[in-house]
Amino acid sequence: MATLYRCTGDWVIARKFIISGEASVPGGRVWSAEDDQALQEGMDLDKMEELRLQKGNVEVYRRLQFLNTFHGPSE
């Protein structure tokens, strides 16, 4: 479950990560707790810019959507 979470719920990427390691995953699509914290807090502008440059705007947006869905309010 933790691997799937780190891979934004993408089971194809998670499988590749499990089999071949993080270096085999294209485009930095594996996220760390520090990355998530920076995105959720939105206070470290340098870290957020680094993530955008490293992972791309689309992946950062996908991760933000995932985090908002996963940690959103329970009704």
Side-chain angles (χ1 to χ4, degrees):
M1 181 73 161
T3 299
L4 193 57
Y5 179 85
R6 288 190 62 201
C7 296
T8 313
D10 187 328
W11 67 271
V12 174
I13 297 298
R15 183 175 183 269
K16 181 178 271 197
F17 175 73
I18 291 167
I19 293 171
S20 303
E22 188 170 346
S24 69
V25 178
R29 294 175 68 181
V30 178
W31 296 81
S32 70
E34 293 81 20
D35 295 341
D36 289 347
Q37 184 177 2
L39 290 175
Q40 288 176 316
E41 291 176 355
M43 300 300 287
D44 188 346
L45 296 179
D46 291 332
K47 178 66 175 175
M48 292 180 70
E49 181 63 21
E50 176 187 325
L51 289 171
R52 277 195 289 276
L53 292 173
Q54 181 185 44
K55 298 177 182 285
N57 288 331
V58 172
E59 286 304 316
V60 169
Y61 182 72
R62 284 183 67 223
R63 187 62 179 182
L64 283 169
Q65 284 185 311
F66 175 80
L67 292 172
N68 287 336
T69 301
F70 193 85
H71 296 289
S74 58
E75 296 182 53

